[in-house]
Amino acid sequence: MATYSDLDGIAAAAAIDEARLWSHLVGFGEIGGIGGGGVCRLALGEEELAARRHIASWAQSRGYRVFVDPVANLFVRREGTDPGAAPVITGSHIDTQPQGGRFDGAYGVIAALEALAALDGASVKTRRPIEVVAWTNEEGVRFTPGAMGSMVFSGALALSDIAGRRGSDGVTLSAALASALAATPQATFRPTVPPIAAYVEAHIEQGPELEARGIPIGIVEGIQGVRWFDIEVSGSGAHAGTTPLSRRRDAFQDALRIVSALNDWTSDRGDVLRFTVGRFDLTPNSRNTVPARASLGIDLRHPDANVLREKGDRIAAIAAAAARYCAVSVREVFTKAPASFDAAVIGTIEAATRLLRIPALRMSSGAFHDALFLNDVCPAGMIFIPCEAGISHDPAESITSVQAAAGARVLAATLVALAGADGDVR
Ligand code: GLV
Ligand code: MN
Ligand code: MN
């Protein structure tokens, strides 16, 4: 027998407006647009603050209250009929990679706002409040670590320990957070974390599986673990024309040896392990000067906690042994073990796809997401939609309006189920 939640879930999903959602996504992608479909909205930077202003004024114009917390996570709240009930939270992030796409993160936030509008349009009342969140600094580009907003929110990281850190542009995190708090004066400051009933995040898959199989929805069962390392190689600067090779301490050449040794250490026949040198800086980076320093940003991932531990724990020793002339220092700057999402939330998402007769696939996530940290403090889960050729973290990132709407429909029905239709027996 259909419950009130089922009926209201169907009504809310039907009220998702594909054209409205698409124009919102496209318009939002123009904030920090860099041409060619790309976006550069670094965490807490000018463009990202403009995106915050957009969300806050969207919310205000529709009568939703807006909240902000000490790490500048931004919340839009749709009240429930039980004022004291813990909220269901949904959302994602609005910061991007330096040459990112329009949908990584933004999709989860804008689809969640569309879900609120659909609930209103269908006059659906939920017992619990529903809050849409834009987490601060998921990408970890300007400030380290990534997923900073959700880490602080969930207690995995103390803001006081990182407030003095400088971003890649030299600005301190505390100054950048102050600008973000000032950008949305209509938001009420909420210093403490309320208890949360559940968290669900919609996101593009960022991989090729859903598209390849022609399946519109991924139900995410878990996320692989990740470790980030900064490696500094310190040699000596010298004249490129006059200094014999035998007298050099060339940081670039030692960095090459280190990368080569780490490639060997992390090579995986099964092609499951992910090892990336995603950042490489030379100092002074001048053609006719022997590099004095090389700085490498390493990203290591694996779904098995034991492999991730074993491979990551040896990185410092392998790097030190591989360098021939330079001093090497290795610092681990971000770690998160693999995680499985809550069975009940996974089941609720799956039930929503059945209710709406939308084909879905259970899968795991290679990318990390804020949901990984929310999973530590409340039942959590994720909904994926396909993206073209699996491309993400690139201006070529692309989805269709049909795909966007399908994900928003599943999200809306899931939110109704998690928040409880007002008529349901409690
Ligand atoms: C998130 O952006 C990730 O790097 O997985
Ligand atoms: Mn993302
Ligand atoms: Mn990303």
Side-chain angles (χ1 to χ4, degrees):
M1 203 180 70
T3 62
Y4 282 99
S5 284
D6 287 349
L7 297 174
D8 281 353
I10 290 169
I16 292 287
D17 183 330
E18 182 183 324
R20 178 176 62 189
L21 171 59
W22 187 247
S23 83
H24 200 177
L25 281 166
V26 170
F28 196 72
E30 281 163 16
I31 307 173
I34 53 173
V39 181
C40 179
R41 234 172 14 229
L42 298 188
L44 308 171
E46 258 322 302
E47 296 77 13
E48 199 251 25
L49 299 196
R52 289 166 179 272
R53 282 188 214 102
H54 167 88
I55 291 170
S57 49
W58 183 97
Q60 205 174 21
S61 71
R62 282 160 183 78
Y64 300 124
R65 280 199 293 162
V66 183
F67 295 89
V68 72
D69 72 6
V71 70
N73 295 316
L74 185 65
F75 301 84
V76 174
R77 179 175 170 104
R78 183 180 191 266
E79 295 298 341
T81 53
D82 178 351
V88 171
I89 300 192
T90 181
S92 191
H93 60 99
I94 54 171
D95 65 317
T96 72
Q97 291 287 312
Q99 296 185 29
R102 288 181 290 174
F103 304 107
D104 173 7
Y107 172 70
V109 175
I110 303 300
L113 295 179
E114 175 61 27
L116 294 196
L119 263 71
D120 285 350
S123 302
V124 170
K125 290 195 168 86
T126 58
R127 185 175 78 79
R128 297 184 181 282
I130 298 174
E131 296 192 2
V132 176
V133 60
W135 301 112
T136 295
N137 186 29
E138 192 271 349
E139 296 290 2
V141 176
R142 184 176 174 213
F143 295 98
T144 305
M148 179 183 282
S150 49
M151 284 182 83
V152 171
F153 183 86
S154 64
L157 185 66
L159 183 53
S160 52
D161 288 348
I162 55 170
R165 274 191 198 168
R166 287 185 190 278
S168 49
D169 53 4
V171 175
T172 60
L173 176 62
S174 53
L177 287 174
S179 322
L181 297 185
T184 52
Q186 63 272 67
T188 304
F189 186 68
R190 194 164 63 182
T192 52
V193 177
I196 306 155
Y199 177 73
V200 60
E201 176 169 351
H203 206 284
I204 62 168
E205 182 199 339
Q206 305 184 281
E209 208 169 325
L210 289 173
E211 184 188 59
R213 296 190 185 210
I215 296 179
I217 295 294
I219 301 165
V220 186
E221 293 183 299
I223 299 189
Q224 69 176 338
V226 54
R227 297 177 75 172
W228 282 1
F229 300 87
D230 281 350
I231 301 185
E232 304 297 330
V233 185
S234 305
S236 308
H239 195 290
T242 60
T243 316
L245 267 58
S246 58
R247 297 178 69 138
R248 293 185 182 190
R249 294 175 67 233
D250 183 329
F252 177 64
Q253 296 296 340
D254 263 356
L256 282 182
R257 292 182 186 99
I258 290 169
V259 172
S260 171
L262 291 178
N263 278 338
D264 290 346
W265 170 240
T266 56
S267 84
D268 174 15
R269 281 189 186 199
D271 205 13
V272 174
L273 184 147
R274 305 279 185 264
F275 171 77
T276 308
V277 184
R279 184 177 61 73
F280 189 91
D281 300 309
L282 284 182
T283 307
N285 205 20
S286 164
R287 183 196 306 264
N288 47 354
T289 299
V290 175
R293 275 191 307 283
S295 170
L296 290 74
I298 305 283
D299 181 305
L300 176 75
R301 306 194 196 200
H302 202 281
D304 182 327
N306 293 325
V307 178
L308 189 68
R309 192 177 317 110
E310 182 209 348
K311 291 293 170 184
D313 284 356
R314 292 267 305 141
I315 282 190
I318 289 171
R324 205 173 285 166
Y325 305 108
C326 300
V328 177
S329 78
V330 178
R331 214 159 50 94
E332 185 159 3
V333 292
F334 180 46
T335 311
K336 184 68 181 159
S340 301
F341 285 132
D342 181 77
V345 175
I346 291 171
T348 304
I349 298 169
E350 196 154 58
T353 62
R354 289 214 191 95
L355 189 67
L356 302 176
R357 300 182 192 280
I358 299 179
L361 176 74
R362 286 186 178 228
M363 61 191 305
S364 64
S365 174
F368 64 77
H369 299 281
D370 294 300
L372 188 55
F373 293 91
L374 270 292
N375 192 43
D376 291 337
V377 289
C378 69
M382 288 189 78
I383 298 164
F384 275 176
I385 62 165
C387 57
E388 192 179 320
I391 295 170
S392 185
H393 282 191
D394 189 274
E397 190 179 273
S398 184
I399 63 173
T400 66
S401 64
V402 171
Q403 291 167 333
R409 290 192 181 106
V410 173
L411 177 63
T414 301
L415 289 172
V416 173
L418 292 172
D422 196 40
D424 281 347
V425 179
R426 291 165 204 166

